[in-house]
Amino acid sequence: MSASPDTLNRATGLHLPGFARLSCLIAQPVLTRVVQRIAKRHPSMFARLGSHRTTDFLIDPVELPFALHLRPDPQALVLRAVPRHAAPRAGATIRGKFLLLLELIDSEEDGDAAFFSRDLEVTGDTEAVVRLRNALDDVDGSIAEETAEMFGPAGRAILARLRRAYPT
Amino acid sequence: MSLAELICPAGTPAALRTAVDAGADAVYCGFQDATNARNFPGLNFTPDELASSVAYAHEQGTKVLLALNTYPPAGKFDLWRQAADTGARLGVDAFIVADMGVADYIARIHPGIRLHLSVQAAASSPEAIRYYCENFGVKRVVLPRILTIPEIRQIRKEIPCEIETFIFGNHGLMIEGRCSLTNYLTGQSTNMDGVCSPASDVEYKRHEDGSMSSQLAGFTIDCFRSDEKAGYPTICKGRYRTAHRDDAYYAFEEPISLNLSRLLPELIDAGVHAFKIEGRQRSKSYVRGVVSAFRQAVDDIRAGRQANIADLVALTEGQKQTQGAFETKKWR
């Protein structure tokens, strides 16, 4: 039986506040670039969000040392890494393994199926989550690959390695 | 003659292109309003999106069916009238309707466009189906999921229109178009507003022991242990405690999906003209997987080969599947 992500985080020290803060600092410049690029390339997705453009989403990849705070407001876009203990009060929280979340963003996996299997957990404002899901699902192409492309061969290599590391 | 057309769901333009590319013979979709029974937040098409989607589908030889399958409340008929006019202007190939007023309007104003009778009309007898055919020129009926294959075969002999049956997806056995459970709890109507268990009224709660409860309008309708698969937060699939039973139980039906992949040859033989895949609310991933699997299966059957259906159980509600009433009325 494999260890749960929470157990792994505790065993490796990934849950420690200091490590989480450092990870956030490293990740932040990448996240800012990624979200601005995606917003620029896919402006039509914001219409599907309706009033939930100003909702605060907490996207929680369970095995990473930090969560992601997303506010998909095209006027003031926010995507930032936050230590879990310092996460803002979110309108909706989406929780699952990192690659699953990535594949949901890219429609490589089905969100309802992930919910049925209990691999995906949703709390808070369900309408906000449904709108976000539908907005992302109407994006053609792969956001993960677009992101990887931004960082050239190194980005592509990291994405490929990530996919290999998570058997589907 | 049965052509075994594959009728596939599309909740967004990207899903429509996915369905077309995966081999749909026709896709069905709706506008972003109460005129269709999947009026979910962030889902469906603007008129501009439908225009470009119709063009994309037609370039690939795929038909587009517009769902106008809800019931206009008194005084609000204009929304359905406008939707029909817009669909006609954009060149949709058929309208899927449930309400007689909507059917009558389209039959009179847009007589050149096919009318399909939605499952929401719950027409399950030859007499009811013939009424729609004779009075509104309905060309196809989508049968409720309550009939056995011998019953479908018999109905086919007694009606002058094509038959479409669901083959995969939601297994709602409530009398469709008549279900008021959502309305009872939320004040919004599945049949008039197009929303079954509106997301704005749904809340999931995670508990310390790893279990999760689903609530609709503040009422708990199910609680899943950490090792249990989950289902949609609909009242008909809820699990309830009652005085006469020790444990909570599925009072109406359980979370499960229809999968008729093994019955396709029998359905074709019974005279079913078109196979419908449910799931406009599902992702492109679902559309790609399910449409591709059934495209291959239908092509194999048409070519006289044994159909080899990919395993689709991971996409089913509660990760369980059934052949339901199509196999036997004792399915439960």
Side-chain angles (χ1 to χ4, degrees), chain A residues 51-69:
Chain A
S51 61
H52 288 291
R53 279 176 281 201
T54 53
T55 293
D56 290 303
F57 294 87
L58 191 68
I59 299 164
D60 188 359
V62 290
E63 70 277 59
L64 293 194
F66 53 80
L68 298 169
H69 168 214

Side-chain angles (χ1 to χ4, degrees), chain A:
Chain A
M1 189 176 145
S2 61
S4 73
D6 286 344
T7 309
L8 278 174
N9 283 350
R10 277 193 293 277
T12 56
L14 294 180
H15 71 294
L16 295 174
F19 184 79
R21 273 195 294 272
L22 180 64
S23 304
C24 293
L25 283 174
I26 294 168
Q28 193 52 56
V30 176
L31 294 172
T32 303
R33 221 175 125 189
V34 165
V35 75
Q36 285 174 350
R37 164 85 170 239
I38 292 167
K40 195 173 171 186
R41 288 176 63 102
H42 305 286
S44 62
M45 68 186 283
F46 293 104
R48 292 191 182 273
L49 289 163
S51 61
H52 288 291
R53 279 176 281 201
T54 53
T55 293
D56 290 303
F57 294 87
L58 191 68
I59 299 164
D60 188 359
V62 290
E63 70 277 59
L64 293 194
F66 53 80
L68 298 169
H69 168 214
L70 169 69
R71 190 186 304 139
D73 180 355
Q75 306 303 319
L77 207 49
V78 173
L79 179 65
R80 63 191 182 103
V82 290
R84 287 189 179 80
H85 69 274
R89 189 180 178 82
T93 298
I94 303 163
R95 193 166 193 258
K97 286 188 178 175
F98 178 60
L99 191 66
L100 172 66
L101 297 173
L102 204 59
E103 289 185 327
L104 289 172
I105 288 171
D106 272 356
S107 285
E108 289 298 318
E109 287 286 336
D110 178 68
D112 289 15
F115 173 79
F116 298 149
S117 68
R118 308 288 300 279
D119 293 323
L120 181 71
E121 192 178 284
V122 169
T123 51
D125 191 325
T126 309
E127 178 175 328
V129 176
V130 171
R131 281 193 176 275
L132 180 63
R133 198 286 301 266
N134 288 332
L136 290 168
D137 205 61
D138 196 33
V139 171
D140 278 323
S142 164
I143 289 176
E145 283 172 16
E146 278 181 29
T147 304
E149 282 296 325
M150 287 170 58
F151 301 96
R156 289 193 291 273
I158 290 169
L159 181 62
R161 189 167 175 180
L162 190 62
R163 283 177 168 158
R164 279 198 302 275
Y166 286 82
T168 52

Side-chain angles (χ1 to χ4, degrees), chain B residues 316-330:
Chain B
T316 58
E317 185 176 4
Q319 302 209 319
K320 285 187 289 186
Q321 51 193 2
T322 178
Q323 296 180 129
F326 291 85
E327 182 188 23
T328 168
K329 292 246 170 148
K330 295 177 179 172

Side-chain angles (χ1 to χ4, degrees), chain B residues 220-272:
Chain B
T220 300
I221 57 176
D222 210 337
C223 185
F224 303 97
R225 294 190 316 266
S226 59
D227 60 344
E228 274 187 308
K229 305 302 180 192
Y232 282 124
T234 55
I235 302 168
C236 59
K237 306 276 178 78
R239 199 161 25 174
Y240 304 98
R241 293 187 185 282
T242 58
H244 69 287
R245 293 180 71 122
D246 294 334
D247 298 323
Y249 79 114
Y250 292 109
F252 302 97
E253 50 188 304
E254 57 189 291
I256 197 164
S257 291
L258 185 72
N259 185 352
L260 300 188
S261 54
R262 294 180 196 286
L263 297 180
L264 297 182
E266 285 179 64
L267 289 165
I268 291 171
D269 189 59
V272 173

Side-chain angles (χ1 to χ4, degrees), chain B residues 71 117-133 140-159 161 163-165 173-176 178 325-326 329:
Chain B
Y71 291 85
L117 190 63
S118 169
V119 69
Q120 284 288 99
S124 56
S125 70
E127 291 78 7
I129 297 165
R130 280 200 302 268
Y131 182 84
Y132 286 99
C133 296
R140 180 183 295 176
V141 59
V142 185
L143 289 179
R145 287 157 273 200
I146 56 168
L147 299 163
T148 62
I149 293 179
E151 286 173 330
I152 293 170
R153 187 188 301 276
Q154 186 57 38
I155 287 173
R156 178 70 192 93
K157 291 175 185 165
E158 298 181 41
I159 60 172
C161 71
I163 286 178
E164 182 173 309
T165 57
L173 294 185
M174 311 310 290
I175 302 176
E176 283 161 295
R178 314 279 196 277
F326 291 85
K329 292 246 170 148

